[in-house]
Amino acid sequence: MELPAIDGGHPVRSEMLPFSPPDIGSAEIARVTGVLKSGWITRGGVCEEFENRISDFTGARFAHCLSSATAGLFLSLKIAGIGEGDEVITTPYTFASSVNVILHASAKPVLADVEEDGFQISPQAVASKVTPRTRAVIPVHFGGHPVDLDAVREISKRHDLLVVEDAAHAIGAEYRGKRLGDGKNPCVFSFHAVKNVTTAEGGCVVTNDEKLHKALRLYSLHGQTKDAYEKLSAGGWKYDIAVPGYKFNLTDLQAAVGVEQLKRVEAITKKREEIAERYTALLKEYDFVQTPSVKKGHRSSWHLYPLLIDFSRLSIDRDRFIAALAAENISANVHYIPVHLMSYYKKTFGYRPDDFPAAYSLFRREVSLPIYPQLSFDDVERVVEAIEKLFAHYR
Ligand SMILES: Cc1ncc(COP(=O)(O)O)c(C=O)c1O
């Protein structure tokens, strides 16, 4: 959908402001170059360094890097023995990966609606979906804003369920003053290209459980008892295949980017926080706009800035609003089209939009604004200028 800029074609910016470009500096480039010249480019010492830094950062005993968060979510279920006949509860307000992995594990996804005043899974809704077949819950720290983890853990303890945190958006976020990924249950981060810390593609599972950590190592590289790096040692050529594993490893080339990104994660989070504060300060005066907020005692990683707009107060709908922002050279996005609206899930599980009314209502109002460390405060003001121009025009 293309719309012309208001004001006879004078957009607020002369060039398109990107939505979420990666923040790659000279340190990342130098480290990658070093790995390229080192003679070892796949999983090896740099992955191990990255893992050590991640476990130091989160406080979990172990970290294991993988090719994606999707691989980490899937393996966490698989290694727990979840499969045919089992149910796993998660939210419809997420990227499809959180739900697809349940099907990959041959289990049944059971969706529990989000809180009415936010994007996070409702612990009451989770409790209402537990059956004798339920084995696990995947709470998603949407946008980097922590879920009510204590409540989810409490329900899970009562029913003997595994919790696998989907923290794809949430490295650096804090729950009750402590960083997410404390290791009490598997917690999965994503390092996909748009994430706060990136390796282009990648993910990681942190845990305090040594058995799980060892199993992740085994399952992520074919089930080999020794990976290629370990085989380098004298007489190290012998290995066994203990299980028919997968090919889900990260590479040293990717980890080189991650190591340098992780060194800066505090600065990255702080800048995102400052941008979020600016947006909120500039937009909170509109009574038909709901700005995102972080609950007391928590810290968001601000992977997303999800604005909620009551479009019934404007003469433009959400999709045209985003197209009109693009005409002003501002890119915006929607997170997410809830999973229960996706054709496969509708067809397979017979979902209707109103089956999850809170998720559906959020989806119809949501507009994600650009938020990333390279965004200047002047850029933030241009974004708000474009939004205000549209508000004035379409009231
Ligand atoms: C909430 C959520 N969970 C899981 C994933 C999967 O991450 P990955 O692309 O690293 O597999 C994503 C990716 O965007 C996500 O947004």
Side-chain angles (χ1 to χ4, degrees), residues 68-70 73 94-95 97-98 140 166 168-169 190-192 195 201-202 336:
S68 67
T70 305
L73 293 167
T94 186
F95 181 61
S97 165
S98 326
V140 179
D166 181 337
H169 300 176
S190 172
F191 306 129
H192 167 260
K195 299 300 190 290
E201 296 288 351
Y336 284 99

Coordinates of all heavy atoms in Angstrom, one line a residue, residues 68-70 73 94-95 97-98 140 166 168-169 190-192 195 201-202 336, ligand 1:
S68 N 20.3 -20.6 16.2 CA 19.1 -19.7 16.4 C 18.5 -20.0 17.7 O 18.7 -21.0 18.4 CB 18.1 -20.0 15.3 OG 17.6 -21.3 15.5
A69 N 17.6 -19.0 18.1 CA 16.8 -19.2 19.3 C 15.8 -20.3 19.1 O 15.5 -21.1 20.0 CB 16.1 -17.9 19.7
T70 N 15.3 -20.4 17.8 CA 14.4 -21.5 17.5 C 15.0 -22.9 17.8 O 14.3 -23.7 18.4 CB 14.0 -21.4 16.0 OG1 13.6 -20.1 15.7 CG2 13.0 -22.4 15.5
L73 N 14.9 -23.3 21.6 CA 13.6 -23.6 22.2 C 13.2 -25.0 21.9 O 12.8 -25.8 22.8 CB 12.5 -22.7 21.6 CG 12.6 -21.2 21.9 CD1 11.7 -20.3 21.0 CD2 12.2 -20.9 23.4
T94 N 3.2 -13.5 19.8 CA 4.6 -13.8 19.6 C 4.9 -14.0 18.2 O 4.0 -14.2 17.4 CB 5.0 -15.0 20.5 OG1 6.4 -15.2 20.4 CG2 4.4 -16.3 20.0
F95 N 6.2 -14.2 17.9 CA 6.6 -14.6 16.6 C 6.4 -16.1 16.5 O 6.5 -16.8 17.5 CB 8.1 -14.3 16.3 CG 8.6 -14.7 15.0 CD1 8.0 -14.1 13.9 CD2 9.6 -15.6 14.8 CE1 8.5 -14.5 12.6 CE2 10.0 -16.0 13.6 CZ 9.5 -15.4 12.5
S97 N 7.8 -18.7 15.8 CA 8.9 -19.6 16.2 C 8.5 -20.2 17.6 O 8.7 -21.5 17.8 CB 10.2 -18.9 16.3 OG 11.1 -19.6 17.1
S98 N 8.0 -19.4 18.5 CA 7.7 -19.9 19.9 C 6.6 -21.0 19.9 O 6.6 -21.8 20.8 CB 7.1 -18.8 20.8 OG 7.6 -17.5 20.5
V140 N 6.9 -15.7 26.9 CA 7.8 -14.9 26.0 C 7.9 -13.5 26.5 O 6.9 -12.8 26.8 CB 7.0 -14.8 24.6 CG1 7.9 -13.9 23.6 CG2 6.8 -16.2 24.0
D166 N 11.2 -17.8 26.6 CA 11.6 -17.3 25.3 C 12.0 -15.8 25.5 O 11.2 -14.9 25.6 CB 10.4 -17.4 24.3 CG 10.7 -16.8 22.9 OD1 11.7 -16.0 22.8 OD2 10.0 -17.2 22.0
A168 N 14.0 -14.2 23.4 CA 14.6 -13.8 22.2 C 14.9 -12.3 22.1 O 15.8 -11.9 21.5 CB 13.7 -14.3 21.0
H169 N 14.0 -11.5 22.7 CA 14.1 -10.1 22.7 C 14.8 -9.5 23.9 O 14.9 -8.3 23.9 CB 12.7 -9.5 22.7 CG 11.8 -9.9 21.5 ND1 10.5 -9.5 21.4 CD2 12.1 -10.6 20.4 CE1 10.0 -10.0 20.3 NE2 10.9 -10.7 19.7
S190 N 17.9 -14.8 21.4 CA 18.2 -14.8 20.0 C 19.2 -13.7 19.6 O 19.2 -12.6 20.2 CB 16.9 -14.5 19.2 OG 17.2 -14.3 17.8
F191 N 20.1 -14.1 18.7 CA 21.1 -13.1 18.2 C 20.8 -12.9 16.7 O 21.8 -12.6 15.9 CB 22.5 -13.6 18.4 CG 22.8 -14.0 19.9 CD1 23.3 -15.2 20.2 CD2 22.5 -13.1 20.9 CE1 23.6 -15.5 21.5 CE2 22.7 -13.4 22.2 CZ 23.3 -14.6 22.5
H192 N 19.6 -13.0 16.3 CA 19.2 -12.7 14.9 C 19.5 -11.3 14.5 O 19.7 -10.4 15.4 CB 17.6 -13.0 14.8 CG 17.0 -12.5 13.5 ND1 16.3 -11.3 13.5 CD2 17.1 -13.0 12.3 CE1 15.9 -11.1 12.2 NE2 16.3 -12.1 11.5
K195 N 18.2 -8.2 16.5 CA 18.1 -8.3 17.9 C 19.1 -7.3 18.6 O 20.1 -6.9 17.9 CB 18.3 -9.7 18.4 CG 17.3 -10.7 17.9 CD 15.9 -10.3 18.3 CE 14.8 -11.4 18.0 NZ 14.5 -11.6 16.6
E201 N 22.8 -14.4 12.6 CA 21.8 -15.4 13.0 C 22.5 -16.1 14.2 O 23.7 -16.4 14.2 CB 21.6 -16.5 11.9 CG 20.9 -16.0 10.7 CD 19.5 -15.6 10.8 OE1 18.9 -15.9 11.9 OE2 18.9 -15.0 9.9
G202 N 21.7 -16.5 15.2 CA 22.3 -17.2 16.3 C 21.3 -17.2 17.5 O 20.3 -16.5 17.6
Y336 N 2.9 -8.3 17.0 CA 3.0 -9.2 15.9 C 1.6 -9.5 15.4 O 0.6 -9.1 16.1 CB 3.5 -10.6 16.4 CG 5.0 -10.6 16.7 CD1 5.5 -10.4 18.0 CD2 5.9 -10.8 15.7 CE1 6.9 -10.4 18.2 CE2 7.3 -10.8 15.9 CZ 7.7 -10.6 17.2 OH 9.1 -10.6 17.4
Ligands
LIG1 C1 9.6 -13.9 20.3 C2 10.6 -14.7 19.4 N1 10.9 -15.9 19.7 C3 11.7 -16.7 19.0 C4 12.3 -16.1 17.9 C5 13.2 -17.0 17.1 O1 14.5 -16.4 17.0 P1 15.6 -17.0 15.9 O2 15.3 -16.2 14.7 O3 16.9 -16.7 16.5 O4 15.3 -18.4 15.8 C6 12.0 -14.8 17.5 C7 12.7 -14.2 16.3 O5 12.4 -13.1 15.9 C8 11.2 -14.1 18.3 O6 10.8 -12.8 18.0

